[in-house]
Amino acid sequence: MDDRIDDLYNKLGQLFVAVEKITDDVALIKNNLDTISKTKGSFGLKAIAKSSLLKDFEPIEGIGTGTKRYKLFFRFIKDEWKSTVNDFLIGVKQQDRSSNYDLKALGIRIHINDTRKLRQLAKQVISLLHISCEINSIDSTTILREIIQEINAKSDAMVREIREKIH
């Protein structure tokens, strides 16, 4: 009988060691996943930190949830990345609604001299505005005229700001 009890204790001891090893392995896997998640999730936030605000480009708030809000932003980034400097950073960031703390961000960089891509972006945004106006029976021509007048009025200050940031 003592042999069976000793055998049982040995098996329980081996089981406890195996459970402890599995617990350590699971903790290690969780730690690695958390590290990967933080690294990948912080890319957009790092880009925002290296960029600077543009005075005439306010963030546009999108449709959020009860706990989160989403903002579209336009910024200037001088930091060199993939052999380009002086880029526009266009992105979306997720914020905690109660604290306004930035949780995640995802953005694209468009080089300041890449007028083809900037023209494509402008065309698509203007198309969205036109569609919205047509659906709501609003004259889009008047709105576009007002936008162009506002841009022309601020253009000297905007160009000066970008030139200062470049140099």
Side-chain angles (χ1 to χ4, degrees):
M1 184 99 159
D2 288 334
D3 289 338
R4 288 182 13 196
I5 291 174
D6 287 341
D7 190 40
L8 184 62
Y9 278 124
N10 286 338
K11 287 182 180 176
L12 279 174
Q14 290 172 355
L15 180 64
F16 289 139
V17 169
V19 167
E20 202 170 308
K21 170 123 177 63
I22 291 171
T23 304
D24 290 343
D25 290 346
V26 168
L28 182 65
I29 291 169
K30 182 187 179 307
N31 190 26
N32 288 342
L33 287 173
D34 287 346
T35 304
I36 290 168
S37 176
K38 285 178 186 173
T39 303
K40 287 186 176 185
S42 65
F43 170 76
L45 296 175
K46 285 180 184 175
I48 292 174
K50 292 178 181 178
S51 67
S52 58
L53 290 170
L54 294 168
K55 292 177 188 167
D56 293 304
F57 293 84
E58 293 180 26
I60 301 164
E61 193 161 330
I63 298 171
T65 65
T67 58
K68 296 179 178 59
R69 72 170 44 129
Y70 298 89
K71 289 188 176 180
L72 175 73
F73 60 87
F74 295 84
R75 296 173 72 102
F76 177 79
I77 186 162
K78 189 178 176 87
D79 179 53
E80 184 174 343
W81 187 64
K82 295 204 175 187
S83 72
T84 65
V85 246
N86 302 328
D87 300 332
F88 290 115
L89 178 63
I90 303 164
V92 175
K93 63 182 171 180
Q94 181 189 65
Q95 293 180 323
D96 180 68
R97 190 175 284 282
S98 59
S99 66
N100 289 339
Y101 180 76
D102 291 342
L103 302 171
K104 295 178 188 174
L106 179 63
I108 61 167
R109 289 175 70 150
I110 297 179
H111 192 59
I112 204 165
N113 294 333
D114 196 347
T115 52
R116 194 181 109 257
K117 286 183 185 166
L118 291 170
R119 179 182 174 179
Q120 183 182 2
L121 174 67
K123 179 182 169 189
Q124 291 171 357
V125 170
I126 290 169
S127 296
L128 289 174
L129 177 64
H130 179 74
I131 291 166
S132 176
C133 288
E134 287 295 317
I135 287 174
N136 293 303
S137 301
I138 300 170
D139 181 28
S140 62
T141 313
T142 307
I143 293 173
L144 290 172
R145 191 175 300 117
E146 289 171 1
I147 290 171
I148 290 171
Q149 287 173 347
E150 188 178 333
I151 291 170
N152 283 336
K154 295 179 179 182
S155 64
D156 289 340
M158 289 190 294
V159 170
R160 193 175 323 110
E161 180 186 9
I162 293 295
R163 282 192 176 142
E164 287 171 4
K165 290 180 186 295
I166 288 174
H167 299 294

